[in-house]
Amino acid sequence: AQSVTQPDIHITVSEGASLELRCNYSYGATPYLFWYVQSPGQGLQLLLKYFSGDTLVQGIKGFEAEFKRSQSSFNLRKPSVHWSDAAEYFCAVGARTASKLTFGTGTRLQVTL
Amino acid sequence: GAVVSQHPSWVICKSGTSVKIECRSLDFQATTMFWYRQFPKQSLMLMATSNEGSKATYEQGVEKDKFLINHASLTLSTLTVTSAHPEDSSFYICSARGGGPGTEAFFGQGTRLTVV
């Protein structure tokens, strides 16, 4: 069965500091991996996705993620966090079409000024 | 990207009544729609998959008679929570996929249901 683990429930960083959110997955086939961001009371916005090819994926809002097959990880990074990045971040694995996704439990990011 | 709209954004209903949530694809035809449920401070759990013109496929543990899903057109799917109870209070999110299996699914903004 497929699963996603986000070990960090809550992370606080200072504005301007770098960020890394961890994600580990378990998937029987070729994993298609996604990172979504959710602001309070809102739906999900796709930050980036990995299907194949270059293991370092660039997304929107300055985010990037690196796929490491040997570690079954897909960590999300940003060099310099902005206060507007405060939100809930979800890692997900599933089909290439982003349908029937299995989500992690999410990491809540707080940004201090 | 494609736009998926949910209505209402939030709803409060009395215990025992039914509530209908709409999910619309505004600029594409959604052959498949997915309904997720999110409990407070938890992740999203897939409830069911619906294909236009056919019965929805429910995930294990989801009550079909309680969560009625209709996907009667290529732009609209509805989720009806029947005889709602306080434990049904949750955030419900749909996603929609147009075209064949190679196309991407897009999420709506969600509906917060509170049953009092």
Side-chain angles (χ1 to χ4, degrees), chain B residues 53-111:
Chain B
S54 59
K55 291 184 178 180
T57 302
Y58 290 81
E59 297 298 304
Q60 190 173 9
V62 177
E63 298 177 60
K64 301 178 182 181
D65 295 333
K66 181 165 191 61
F67 299 101
L68 301 179
I69 292 173
N70 182 279
H71 192 168
S73 79
L74 285 171
T75 59
L76 174 65
S77 176
T78 59
L79 167 67
T80 301
V81 183
T82 62
S83 187
H85 288 94
E87 56 265 31
D88 299 324
S89 298
S90 192
F91 195 59
Y92 294 87
I93 303 179
C94 72
S95 69
R97 183 182 75 194
T103 54
E104 187 171 329
F106 298 91
F107 283 84
Q109 75 272 32
T111 298

Side-chain angles (χ1 to χ4, degrees), chain A residues 34 36 38 41-46 49 51 88 90-91 96-106 108, chain B residues 9 34 36 38 41-46 49 59 91 93 95 97 100-105 107-110 112:
Chain A
F34 307 83
Y36 287 88
Q38 183 182 36
Q42 301 297 311
L44 300 178
Q45 181 180 23
L46 179 65
K49 58 192 177 187
F51 292 160
E88 188 90 19
F90 291 96
C91 179
R96 190 179 191 281
T97 57
S99 54
K100 293 197 68 172
L101 293 177
T102 296
F103 286 85
T105 49
R108 179 164 296 278
Chain B
S9 297
F34 307 88
Y36 293 83
Q38 184 181 30
K41 301 187 184 301
Q42 296 188 29
S43 187
L44 290 82
M45 301 296 294
L46 180 67
T49 302
E59 297 298 304
F91 195 59
I93 303 179
S95 69
R97 183 182 75 194
T103 54
E104 187 171 329
F107 283 84
Q109 75 272 32
R112 180 160 302 285

Side-chain angles (χ1 to χ4, degrees), chain A residues 26-41:
Chain A
S26 174
Y27 196 69
T30 302
Y32 296 114
L33 296 155
F34 307 83
W35 273 100
Y36 287 88
V37 60
Q38 183 182 36
S39 297

Side-chain angles (χ1 to χ4, degrees), chain A residues 15-95:
Chain A
E15 188 175 41
S18 63
L19 171 70
E20 181 170 29
L21 303 182
R22 295 183 291 166
C23 172
N24 293 95
Y25 68 90
S26 174
Y27 196 69
T30 302
Y32 296 114
L33 296 155
F34 307 83
W35 273 100
Y36 287 88
V37 60
Q38 183 182 36
S39 297
Q42 301 297 311
L44 300 178
Q45 181 180 23
L46 179 65
L47 286 176
L48 47 78
K49 58 192 177 187
Y50 171 77
F51 292 160
S52 64
D54 192 348
T55 56
L56 185 62
V57 180
Q58 300 298 320
I60 63 171
K61 303 184 178 184
F63 285 93
E64 66 178 27
E66 185 171 12
F67 171 62
K68 293 185 177 180
R69 184 184 297 275
S70 62
Q71 299 177 20
S72 297
S73 69
F74 188 56
N75 295 347
L76 181 71
R77 300 194 296 249
K78 186 170 184 177
S80 178
V81 170
H82 188 263
W83 63 266
S84 61
D85 293 324
E88 188 90 19
Y89 291 80
F90 291 96
C91 179
V93 65

